[in-house]
Amino acid sequence: MQPFPAPVPFPIQLPRAISADCVLTIDLGAVRANYRTLRDRAQNAEVAAVVKADAYGLGAAHCAMALLDEGCRTFFVAQLAEAHELRRLLPADTAVYVLNGLRPGTEAVAAACGIRPVLNSLEQITAWALISTARNERLPAAIQIDTGMSRLGLSPREVDHLIAERELLDWIEPVLLISHLACADEADHPANAEQLARFDRLAAFLPGERRSIANSGGVFLSPAFHNNVVRAGIALYGANPCPGAPNPMQSVVRLDARVIQIRDIPAGTGIGYGLTYTATSDMRLATLGIGYADGWPRSLSGRGHAYVNGTRVPFVGRVSMDSIVIDISAIGDGVLRCGDFVELLGPNQTLDDVARDAGTIPYEILTSMGRRFHRDYLDIPAGQQLDLTRLA
Ligand SMILES: *Cc1c(COP(=O)(O)O)cnc(C)c1O
């Protein structure tokens, strides 16, 4: 086999801030303000931060450090690798939980790193107890029970088994008992009260542990849902946790995409893949350097909008992998030039607006946002600037 050739050193650096066609601005001050809003709302409950999937695409390290500075001490991620990265950054008086639990064989490394699993089955409880015994310490963990979503957590039968054989817990420290709501974003959905009732009934047999059932949506249900800990994700990042009502959260993200070409076309000319759009009159078009490869959904073809200095302009034709064409016929001559930015998320168009137009939820828009974007952070806490650039 040919050896892999040594890399040729490039003569110059190329910062993303210069090369990228899109800039995602993340306002950590707004993330902190949202944390305070949730704390006010959750009253006596602790507000834990869900920073899974790289803090919903916004940068787990940056978001976690900002939230730490705001007083947050409990963090949830989905997978062990995410917990491993975060655990290195956070001080010892914080807790990092893995929502998806641990695959068999990974318990020892999690324990050694001080990571806490969410135990979702009797097998996972047994495995964690074995590692505890081996380390001769009662290791802390959360236990999740399924109260009606049928996704993760101990089934009712497993809970019965656990209640009957409580010694299964003798070797672990079950510090938190959790469950997850299927319909927290629908305040009137009867499943919310049913899940809470089931949670309270089962939790009564597993005394001692702190309890947690609310996600962001749950924080805005009645106080009965707050328990001891709420697990907030999407609300921290600015999407509306109570759809239908005015958004109580501050907007966190702004996305601007550059114009990479401008052209005039005569009436009758087709636009984009499939020529799904034909100009009905002479038009001026701008092509943006963003596409579905950057997480801007193809379902926005012919439906999405951009804003040019506050003026709404429509997408025309299909969203391509790396580009989108907008109709700027209504924009004055010379106002928009190649290299200029147009707004895709910001004061004129929220995450919730885009999700609605794309036929999806803000979670999907956020977590899909492009790896090619330049990410610009506002309000990095004092003293963290250097550390984080090293990690970025
Ligand atoms: C993702 C997740 C959360 C956070 O949900 P949001 O709706 O983003 O607040 C909380 N708990 C569990 C178990 C989750 O999977």
Side-chain angles (χ1 to χ4, degrees):
M1 209 166 79
Q2 289 286 327
F4 202 70
V8 179
F10 276 142
I12 50 169
Q13 299 289 312
L14 179 53
R16 193 66 72 88
I18 292 170
S19 66
D21 278 341
C22 296
V23 177
L24 181 66
T25 308
I26 297 148
D27 184 350
L28 295 174
V31 173
R32 296 170 66 138
N34 289 338
Y35 185 80
R36 292 193 297 271
T37 299
L38 292 167
R39 211 165 40 195
D40 288 348
R41 179 81 200 191
Q43 291 175 324
N44 297 322
E46 176 187 352
V47 180
V50 180
V51 293
K52 61 192 179 190
D54 202 24
Y56 294 38
L58 302 186
H62 282 90
C63 292
M65 295 306 274
L67 289 164
L68 178 76
D69 207 46
E70 199 58 48
C72 182
R73 287 295 176 273
T74 304
F75 298 85
F76 287 89
V77 292
Q79 303 185 355
L80 178 58
E82 299 178 293
H84 187 256
E85 295 230 321
L86 206 56
R87 194 58 288 181
R88 291 188 323 172
L89 275 182
L90 293 170
D93 68 340
T94 59
V96 178
Y97 289 94
V98 181
L99 286 165
N100 280 5
L102 297 175
R103 218 173 41 252
T106 60
E107 297 87 358
V109 68
C113 296
I115 291 164
R116 299 180 179 189
V118 172
L119 303 171
N120 288 316
S121 67
L122 291 177
E123 290 73 34
Q124 289 181 8
I125 291 176
T126 310
W128 195 240
L130 271 174
I131 292 295
S132 287
T133 328
R135 293 176 61 93
N136 201 26
E137 53 177 335
R138 290 184 79 209
L139 292 169
I143 295 175
Q144 175 157 226
I145 57 182
D146 175 22
T147 53
M149 189 173 174
S150 314
R151 186 179 73 168
L152 282 171
L154 275 67
S155 67
R157 275 187 46 208
E158 285 186 298
V159 177
D160 284 346
H161 187 94
L162 186 61
I163 291 165
E165 301 194 26
R166 272 206 65 113
E167 60 276 15
L168 273 171
L169 297 180
D170 284 353
W171 263 98
I172 69 174
E173 192 74 53
V175 283
L176 190 63
L177 189 67
I178 82 168
S179 193
H180 194 50
L181 297 168
C183 309
D185 56 348
E186 297 174 59
D188 299 329
H189 202 294
N192 291 324
E194 286 164 22
Q195 284 197 264
L196 180 62
R198 215 166 290 152
F199 186 56
D200 287 344
R201 188 154 36 79
L202 293 172
F205 290 102
L206 300 164
E209 300 88 18
R210 295 166 83 217
R211 300 179 192 177
S212 170
I213 196 171
N215 64 338
S216 298
V219 177
F220 293 87
L221 300 174
S222 83
F225 288 85
H226 296 163
N227 286 293
N228 307 106
V229 180
V230 300
R231 310 181 305 269
I234 196 77
L236 291 171
Y237 312 116
N240 191 351
C242 24
N247 189 354
M249 313 319 297
Q250 273 188 31
S251 164
V252 169
V253 285
R254 159 164 197 126
L255 178 64
D256 295 284
R258 275 189 209 275
V259 173
I260 55 174
Q261 196 165 57
I262 291 181
R263 67 194 334 105
D264 292 305
I265 58 164
T269 311
I271 300 169
Y273 279 121
L275 301 176
T276 56
Y277 187 93
T278 303
T280 51
S281 56
D282 294 356
M283 286 175 87
R284 177 162 295 172
L285 307 177
T287 304
L288 307 177
I290 183 171
Y292 60 77
D294 302 293
W296 219 242
R298 190 165 176 274
S299 59
L300 288 173
S301 298
R303 307 175 51 94
H305 293 87
Y307 282 79
V308 177
N309 301 329
T311 303
R312 179 170 143 120
V313 297
F315 291 6
V316 281
R318 286 201 182 134
V319 171
S320 301
M321 184 188 290
D322 316 291
S323 59
I324 295 172
V325 177
I326 56 175
D327 172 9
I328 56 164
S329 307
I331 303 296
D333 268 359
V335 170
L336 195 63
R337 286 171 305 189
C338 258
D340 286 351
F341 282 111
V342 304
E343 174 194 331
L344 289 177
L345 285 174
N348 293 292
Q349 181 160 258
T350 68
L351 204 47
D352 295 280
D353 295 335
V354 172
R356 182 201 55 224
D357 292 349
T360 184
I361 50 174
Y363 299 74
E364 194 176 30
I365 301 289
L366 272 184
T367 56
S368 305
M369 287 219 269
R371 294 175 297 276
R372 298 191 287 200
F373 295 169
H374 169 58
R375 283 169 162 74
D376 189 20
Y377 289 92
L378 307 181
D379 272 343
I380 295 177
Q384 291 184 6
Q385 203 99 30
L386 278 178
D387 284 9
L388 287 166
T389 40
R390 203 161 35 78
L391 280 156

